[in-house]
Amino acid sequence: MNSDLQDYSHKRLNILTGEWVLVSPHRAKRPWQGQNEAVSNEVRPAHDPNCYLCAGNKRINGETNPNYEDVFVFTNDFAALQTGSKDFTIEDGLLTAQSEHGICKVICFSPDHSKSLAEMDPSEIEKVVIAWQREYNALAKNDFIEYVQIFENKGAVMGCSNPHPHGQIWSQSSLPNEIIKKDENQSEYFNKKNRSLLGDYLDQELSKQERIIFENDAFVVLVPFWAVWPYETMIVPKRHQPNILGLKGHETLLFAEAISVLTKVYDKLFNTSFPYSSGIHQAPTNDKDNSHWHWHMSFYPPLLRSATVKKFMVGYEMFGSPQRDITAEIACEKLKQLI
């Protein structure tokens, strides 16, 4: 491990987005006198009669959920994107706007209100993975859909409005900002090398073994070299595949195992139900050749030093670029020790 990276301030390049993150390892020991988050020790029931997502309950729009036994998917009652909205473009001097269409869905991971992914078996999580595949495939068949974003917000600190284990799927008629950047950088590399950018990166990480948390036959869980959040991680398939439809045979279960191992480790780190935002970045659903894409799943947790101290993106991070104190290598070592 390069000692300079652990002792001196420096910046690291995110090869997927082309952006830099400032790393300041010498600041990791600074005292904390800032805000402390409240930790909820609430024990949730397996079924909450007041929860809009629990099986058999009535949602806010008046519809009743079925008595589902594993995964349940429905169209979001408060969708951020509309299907039948008006088409328009506004170009008024420097004021530019365009209409945007889409379909938003909610995916309940389990009927058990008390669980999170960390408390589900890999076989249960595999059903979630298969549902992600099914929804990605179905949404992609809509001519006006260009991209499908699968994500989860876990924990009140991440703005999650309902503690029932669930995620969301937003599909839209144009590419969002992060996807545009990742599309361009992966395409440029693939055109030069005729190889996957993430595939080559993964080979280098596996040879160094400095940021690898866990691996099985099909997936690697690591802290990316350019990580922004203190305990940010990424799950990357070993085989080059543009989207999750490329998973073959038992690889869906191996993906579920990787998610299970990581979320369990997160909960052990600060002995709390670890909050995070996670999302799968994969190839757009347009008619273009997207063979340069290598899909991956990222986890962005806000906790910094304990269950009550979180990382704030303020000041320099808002006006300059992201900054972190604990290095990716130290974060990896802490997480790996908990497996």
Side-chain angles (χ1 to χ4, degrees), residues 9-229:
S9 59
H10 60 278
K11 60 182 183 177
R12 302 189 184 192
L13 177 66
N14 183 331
I15 58 174
L16 288 171
T17 65
E19 297 174 340
W20 295 87
V21 54
L22 176 64
V23 185
S24 312
H26 56 288
R27 280 167 47 95
K29 297 179 181 179
R30 67 188 177 119
W32 180 262
Q33 292 181 304
Q35 178 173 321
N36 287 274
E37 301 295 324
V39 176
S40 174
N41 295 315
E42 174 190 13
V43 177
R44 301 200 307 273
H47 183 276
D48 183 348
N50 298 312
C51 172
Y52 294 121
L53 302 182
C54 277
N57 287 359
K58 185 177 290 187
R59 297 206 306 277
I60 193 68
N61 69 348
E63 294 183 18
T64 299
N65 297 328
N67 289 310
Y68 61 95
E69 297 181 354
D70 40 61
V71 180
F72 171 49
V73 182
F74 63 93
T75 301
N76 197 321
D77 299 324
F78 297 95
L81 293 158
Q82 302 165 305
T83 303
S85 57
K86 176 183 175 183
D87 286 320
F88 63 87
T89 298
I90 296 174
E91 293 182 356
D92 180 10
L94 297 178
L95 310 180
T96 301
Q98 294 179 344
S99 57
E100 183 74 356
H101 310 286
I103 302 170
C104 298
K105 294 194 173 185
V106 176
I107 173 169
C108 296
F109 300 151
S110 167
D112 193 330
H113 184 80
S114 68
K115 286 187 175 182
S116 68
L117 288 175
E119 295 156 317
M120 295 169 60
D121 294 331
S123 60
E124 295 175 298
I125 299 175
E126 184 183 23
K127 294 177 181 178
V128 177
V129 172
I130 292 171
W132 284 339
Q133 290 179 304
R134 183 174 63 248
E135 292 300 322
Y136 176 88
N137 188 46
L139 290 166
K141 291 180 179 178
N142 290 277
D143 292 339
F144 69 97
I145 294 299
E146 292 279 311
Y147 185 71
V148 177
Q149 180 61 64
I150 297 168
F151 67 97
E152 177 196 4
N153 294 321
K154 181 192 173 191
V157 71
M158 300 307 296
C160 184
S161 60
N162 189 313
H164 192 100
H166 75 285
Q168 298 186 57
I169 305 173
W170 290 15
S171 58
Q172 61 187 99
S173 56
S174 67
L175 302 187
N177 296 340
E178 288 297 297
I179 300 307
I180 291 173
K181 289 180 284 190
K182 290 190 174 185
D183 185 65
E184 290 175 349
N185 283 282
Q186 289 183 98
S187 178
E188 181 181 1
Y189 189 89
F190 192 82
N191 290 336
K192 288 180 179 178
K193 306 279 188 177
N194 198 31
R195 296 194 307 271
S196 157
L197 173 61
L198 265 186
D200 283 359
Y201 168 71
L202 198 58
D203 287 343
Q204 188 172 352
E205 287 287 23
L206 287 169
S207 68
K208 288 183 174 293
Q209 290 291 317
E210 293 176 353
R211 287 167 291 274
I212 305 294
I213 298 171
F214 169 81
E215 68 173 300
N216 56 30
D217 289 343
F219 288 90
V220 175
V221 182
L222 53 83
V223 178
F225 180 74
W226 55 83
V228 170
W229 295 94

Side-chain angles (χ1 to χ4, degrees), residues 217-254:
D217 289 343
F219 288 90
V220 175
V221 182
L222 53 83
V223 178
F225 180 74
W226 55 83
V228 170
W229 295 94
Y231 293 96
E232 176 180 332
T233 57
M234 181 186 291
I235 300 176
V236 188
K238 291 181 176 179
R239 280 196 309 107
H240 174 205
Q241 41 193 291
N243 57 56
I244 57 175
L245 299 182
L247 293 171
K248 297 179 180 178
H250 70 297
E251 288 180 340
T252 53
L253 182 58
L254 292 176

Side-chain angles (χ1 to χ4, degrees), residues 252-280:
T252 53
L253 182 58
L254 292 176
F255 181 28
E257 180 191 34
I259 294 173
S260 177
V261 169
L262 176 58
T263 53
K264 282 178 170 59
V265 163
Y266 273 156
D267 280 7
K268 289 180 182 179
L269 181 61
F270 295 135
N271 295 313
T272 190
S273 184
F274 208 75
Y276 58 74
S277 280
S278 67
I280 299 175

